[in-house]
Every structure is written in structure tokens, then in C-alpha cells.
Amino acid sequence: MQITADTIIRTASNYQGLTARAVDHETYRYNRTFRGCFGLAPHLAAELWNMLEDEDPLSDIRWVTYFLVTLMFLRTYTVTAVLAMIFMKDEKTIRHWVWVFIEKIATLDLIRWENRLMNDNGSRCLVTVDGTDFRIREPGPFSTGWYTKKFNGPELRYEIGVCIQTGWIVWINGPFPCGEWVDIVISLSSLVHMFEGDERAVADKGRGYPQFFDCPWRHLDNQQQTSRKALARARHECVNRRLKEWSCLLQRWRHSLDKHGKMAHAVANIVQLQIMDRPMWQVEYYDRVDNEFDFDY
């Protein structure tokens, strides 16, 4: 059953204590409130529902409520009791449907490796790659394999790849225990095997392996190369920040670890949908330069 943004708004307003007239007369303010509660604009929420409908038909209009519950859970990461009070549903029912919809969103085919070829200008580096960490509770038994210095505690790490020419997310790999899997080990285990020919990725310093990664080389890069790499990496950090705008990734994860991967992939798909709707700032990048220091493998 396909729906529109109006259906999403009417359903959400029933639980926000707003009349239809109030929504119509305060459209801008309501859209801002909606994004604050559910993480994305009403028209994107409707588009996301319709994508789920195409994958697996959702025939009951009442399921829209549980779809909104799922978005609020991902956005706020509040406890089930609060969601049950807001949406006037049973806690057990909410708990069931939240994970049903998270699994559905996580399986959407929005993040594709081949999308790195969009607007290809002949550069060897088609993506930026970076690891991003998310806090979790200390798993038992105790192991230093989860520990990272960034937050002085246990975390899970994901490897994110972003297309340089479009800003789209094209790669997500994880989760990995931070203490046992540093960025370069994660990349060597999977990402580098996806490269074609002399393809590389722009990455931050410290990775080494110049046949795979174009890192900041202060003694080799000219000013233009340094600037291009810095801009590409800066936009990648913006993508990481967008992921952590969802409180389920920002706060310490309190559910079982086997559910973290589904949740992270679901959020990544939602963020990718947002980027497709409103593209990020573009980076002019080209690395086929005649440079005596340019590596050629």
C-alpha cells in the first residue's frame, strides 16, 4: 500500500496532540518538529515506507504507526515504556514491530558499491574510506579486544566508504571489536579486494599501503593535492556525523550486540536516502596528475 507524506503527517499528529488545522497553518514549524522526533522529513518517511512496500507488501495502514515508532526509536533511542506511552500501544507489541521494521530497512538496497562509478572522471581514487566507532556496554567476559582510547571504553567499529564525486555512501562493513580490528586491518580484510585495476581510496594518515590508499603525504603532495584530499576527508566526516545524529548510534548501545549490525545498516540506509534527496556539498577531485612522486603500481 503506497502512501503519501500527508498520510505520514496525519498519523504522527494524532500522537503529538495536534489538530489538522494546526499542522496546515504551521507547516514549516511542524516539519522541523517532525524531523526532531523521527529523524527525517515527512516526504522522505513516506518514500522510505513505499520502498519497504515494494520489497515486501505492507497491506495494513495501522502498520504506519509502528513504522513511525521505529523511526522515533532510532532517532531518540528511548526506552520501550516511553514509546508505549506516547503511541498508546503494548510494550511487547512495540518491541516486536520495531525490530521487524529495522530488519526491513536494513535490507534495502540503497548502498551499492557500483555507485562509486557515478560521475567518474577518470581518477584512481573513487571513494573516501574511514572507520567510525560506536559505544557499547562492556560485554562479558572482560576482554581488551573491545577497548578503544577514543572513549576509553568498549566500542564497535564500522568501515564507511563515500563516493568522492557524489557524496553517496557506497560501502559499509562491520561491526568489528575496536581493540582487535584497527582501520587498516578491516580494509585489508575486504575493501581492497573490491578495487579494480589501479583503483585506490582516499584515507586519513597512518594507513600506509600506498598501492591501496592515497593518504596525506606532506613531503610528496603539492598544495592542490593536499587541499583536494582534505576536502574529501572533511565531507566524509560530515557523513559520519550524520550517522551519529541518530541517537541509537550516538548513545551507548544497551541491546544485544547481534542486533547492532542490523540497526547500523538501517540507519546508514536512511542517511543515504537523505543524501540522495538533498545532496551534500560537492568536492572537485582529480588525481591523474603528472607528478614525479606519483605512485604507479
Side-chain angles (χ1 to χ4, degrees):
M1 179 190 62
Q2 301 287 309
I3 64 174
T4 63
D6 184 67
T7 304
I8 291 289
I9 291 174
R10 301 303 173 186
T11 303
S13 62
N14 290 335
Y15 303 100
Q16 294 176 302
L18 298 175
T19 64
R21 181 178 180 182
V23 173
D24 291 338
H25 284 266
E26 299 287 346
T27 302
Y28 173 77
R29 182 178 299 178
Y30 178 76
N31 285 341
R32 186 175 60 183
T33 302
F34 187 95
R35 290 194 300 270
C37 293
F38 302 104
L40 69 173
H43 74 280
L44 287 182
E47 185 176 347
L48 181 61
W49 169 276
N50 292 333
M51 289 180 177
L52 299 177
E53 168 72 18
D54 293 337
E55 294 289 332
D56 184 14
L58 305 168
S59 58
D60 197 331
I61 186 63
R62 292 176 297 179
W63 291 359
V64 175
T65 297
Y66 296 111
F67 172 69
L68 291 174
V69 172
T70 303
L71 293 179
M72 180 172 285
F73 172 78
L74 295 174
R75 173 62 173 171
T76 65
Y77 199 45
T78 189
V79 295
T80 308
V82 174
L83 295 174
M85 182 176 63
I86 295 174
F87 290 92
M88 297 175 288
K89 304 293 182 182
D90 178 70
E91 287 187 38
K92 185 177 180 180
T93 304
I94 283 183
R95 198 174 292 114
H96 166 75
W97 282 106
V98 160
W99 288 105
V100 167
F101 274 104
I102 286 178
E103 290 184 7
K104 289 179 179 292
I105 297 172
T107 57
L108 289 175
D109 189 23
L110 293 179
I111 299 177
R112 303 177 182 177
W113 179 242
E114 57 269 22
N115 284 344
R116 77 194 192 285
L117 301 174
M118 294 177 61
N119 301 336
D120 184 9
N121 64 356
S123 296
R124 273 177 297 212
C125 293
L126 300 178
V127 300
T128 55
V129 61
D130 190 22
T132 184
D133 303 341
F134 305 108
R135 295 181 296 166
I136 60 174
R137 288 184 174 179
E138 184 73 56
F142 175 79
S143 171
T144 57
W146 303 97
Y147 178 83
T148 177
K149 294 182 179 179
K150 182 179 293 186
F151 292 106
N152 193 30
E155 294 189 14
L156 289 176
R157 176 167 293 152
Y158 289 80
E159 183 179 60
I160 308 295
V162 176
C163 175
I164 294 177
Q165 301 302 327
T166 62
W168 287 18
I169 302 174
V170 297
W171 176 262
I172 177 170
N173 187 22
F176 299 93
C178 284
E180 296 179 355
W181 292 80
V182 296
D183 288 346
I184 185 59
V185 174
I186 297 175
S187 297
L188 293 177
S189 69
S190 182
L191 177 66
V192 299
H193 302 292
M194 304 294 292
F195 292 156
E196 299 177 358
D198 63 350
E199 184 178 351
R200 302 185 214 157
V202 173
D204 50 14
K205 62 181 179 180
R207 283 181 179 254
Y209 293 88
Q211 68 270 39
F212 297 130
F213 302 105
D214 199 356
C215 303
W217 308 105
R218 292 185 179 179
H219 60 296
L220 299 179
D221 291 341
N222 57 40
Q223 184 176 359
Q224 188 178 44
Q225 290 171 306
T226 300
S227 176
R228 287 173 176 173
K229 293 179 185 180
L231 286 174
R233 295 196 311 275
R235 187 181 57 186
H236 192 115
E237 293 298 333
C238 290
V239 174
N240 290 345
R241 177 185 57 80
R242 288 198 179 192
L243 292 172
K244 294 183 180 181
E245 287 177 352
W246 296 79
S247 293
C248 57
L249 289 177
L250 178 63
Q251 298 180 24
R252 191 180 303 276
W253 182 249
R254 61 176 183 268
H255 291 78
S256 60
L257 293 182
D258 61 338
K259 292 182 176 180
H260 196 280
K262 299 175 183 177
M263 178 274 304
H265 281 76
V267 172
N269 275 326
I270 295 175
V271 172
Q272 171 61 14
L273 181 63
Q274 293 175 308
I275 295 174
M276 292 167 64
D277 179 67
R278 297 187 65 180
M280 302 185 65
W281 46 284
Q282 296 302 300
V283 174
E284 294 184 5
Y285 185 89
Y286 184 73
D287 59 14
R288 296 285 187 179
V289 295
D290 294 326
N291 187 328
E292 60 177 319
F293 302 114
D294 193 29
F295 295 104
D296 189 10
Y297 291 86

